[in-house]
Amino acid sequence: DLAIEVLSPGKANEDRDREVKLTLYSRRGVREYWIIDRFTRTVAVFRRTQAAALDLAATLADGDTLASPLLPGFALPVAQ
């Protein structure tokens, strides 16, 4: 399972996506969670680890390419 969030403006919204939803998705067995920050043009990629939790795997920026083992053949430049 893959969950994707696009951050809305405001600290409360960011905190909800970065903390509350991360914990919820981790408990529910989501295998990968992307948080897209359109203001800083970054993507935080969290992946399930051996510890059965979602951990930060990468923070991608404009020059990087977003790919996932859950989506074979998918690759998207973050700048797009």
Side-chain angles (χ1 to χ4, degrees), residues 32-35 43-47 55-60 66-67:
E32 197 163 317
Y33 177 41
W34 301 350
I35 301 175
V43 180
V45 177
F46 294 84
R47 290 198 176 112
D55 290 323
L56 184 63
T59 301
L60 307 174
L66 180 59

Side-chain angles (χ1 to χ4, degrees), residues 14-69:
E14 286 188 29
D15 290 348
R16 181 190 64 236
D17 291 345
R18 293 183 192 278
E19 296 170 19
V20 176
K21 288 186 179 180
L22 176 62
T23 300
L24 174 67
Y25 294 150
S26 191
R27 287 183 185 155
R28 297 286 184 186
V30 169
R31 293 179 13 206
E32 197 163 317
Y33 177 41
W34 301 350
I35 301 175
I36 300 169
D37 187 334
R38 60 193 169 119
F39 305 105
T40 62
R41 300 178 58 92
T42 59
V43 180
V45 177
F46 294 84
R47 290 198 176 112
R48 185 158 300 282
T49 63
Q50 300 286 341
L54 289 169
D55 290 323
L56 184 63
T59 301
L60 307 174
D62 272 350
D64 298 318
T65 299
L66 180 59
S68 171

